Amino acid sequence: MGFTEFNLDEYEIDEKQTKQEAMKLLTRYRLFKLGVINYDLKLTATYSIQPKHFGNEFHSDVESNVVKKVSYMQMIEEAVNKIPDADERRVIIDGYMTNEKHNYIKMQQKMHMNTTNYYKLRNKALISFAVVLNKEVFKEKRMDSEK
């Protein structure tokens, strides 16, 4: 079998599936964060993350698992830092990377936004996050006659 060329013109991002993928990644991050001792985010004024540094040396399975979890967490943090829009980064960091479960009412109050605008921003943020990690989900584009 030969290589089939992927024609991006025939596909578009499946926003619903892509947001679900981003949520899975961020849920895992929060769970890992709760299980890793002494792991705190250091936020800068521009909503960038500076994680603590952990070495790669370990001596037990427990330490090995902690190193894997911390590596995953650092990968997520690096991806968030690559999101160009500061408001989108803020939604991800404050809404999904803290110990508290996401609460849209608190978030929209914190960001001084109404519900509609907050959800628009949140959806953009989740998609941007997934794209940075190459976790976006594609679907075939619908023809104009099908819309």
Side-chain angles (χ1 to χ4, degrees):
M1 287 188 195
F3 174 74
T4 305
E5 187 174 320
F6 181 75
N7 185 353
L8 197 55
D9 293 335
E10 297 174 14
Y11 294 90
E12 62 189 357
I13 291 178
D14 183 328
E15 291 186 6
K16 182 178 179 182
Q17 294 293 321
T18 298
K19 288 185 290 187
Q20 288 176 350
E21 186 65 29
M23 297 287 281
K24 282 193 273 186
L25 295 166
L26 291 166
T27 297
R28 180 179 295 144
Y29 174 92
R30 187 180 327 106
L31 292 173
F32 283 2
K33 183 179 179 199
L34 291 172
V36 176
I37 300 169
N38 292 330
Y39 191 86
D40 293 315
L41 295 179
K42 178 182 177 188
L43 295 178
T44 66
T46 60
Y47 269 86
S48 294
I49 303 167
Q50 294 180 341
K52 291 183 178 181
H53 177 70
F54 291 86
N56 288 330
E57 298 177 18
F58 51 89
H59 300 94
S60 72
D61 288 342
V62 172
E63 290 171 323
S64 176
N65 285 334
V66 169
V67 169
K68 287 178 187 176
K69 287 178 181 181
V70 169
S71 294
Y72 175 85
M73 294 167 66
Q74 289 175 335
M75 175 194 68
I76 296 297
E77 291 164 2
E78 289 170 10
V80 171
N81 284 339
K82 290 179 184 176
I83 297 172
D85 186 273
D87 287 335
E88 290 179 21
R89 284 193 308 271
R90 183 176 180 194
V91 167
I92 298 293
I93 293 168
D94 287 351
Y96 298 95
M97 297 178 75
T98 65
N99 292 341
E100 294 181 25
K101 192 170 183 179
H102 179 264
N103 181 315
Y104 80 92
I105 294 171
K106 286 182 183 177
M107 284 300 298
Q108 72 186 53
Q109 288 172 347
K110 187 182 244 187
M111 298 192 72
H112 308 287
M113 300 179 116
N114 65 33
T115 303
T116 302
N117 288 337
Y118 173 72
Y119 272 109
K120 285 180 183 178
L121 180 62
R122 185 200 74 150
N123 290 343
K124 279 181 57 180
L126 291 170
I127 291 169
S128 295
F129 173 71
V131 167
V132 166
L133 285 168
N134 294 314
K135 296 290 185 177
E136 68 270 41
V137 179
F138 290 97
K139 64 181 179 181
E140 286 190 45
K141 282 186 180 178
R142 294 174 50 182
M143 298 303 223
D144 290 330
S145 61
E146 294 179 30
K147 290 184 178 177

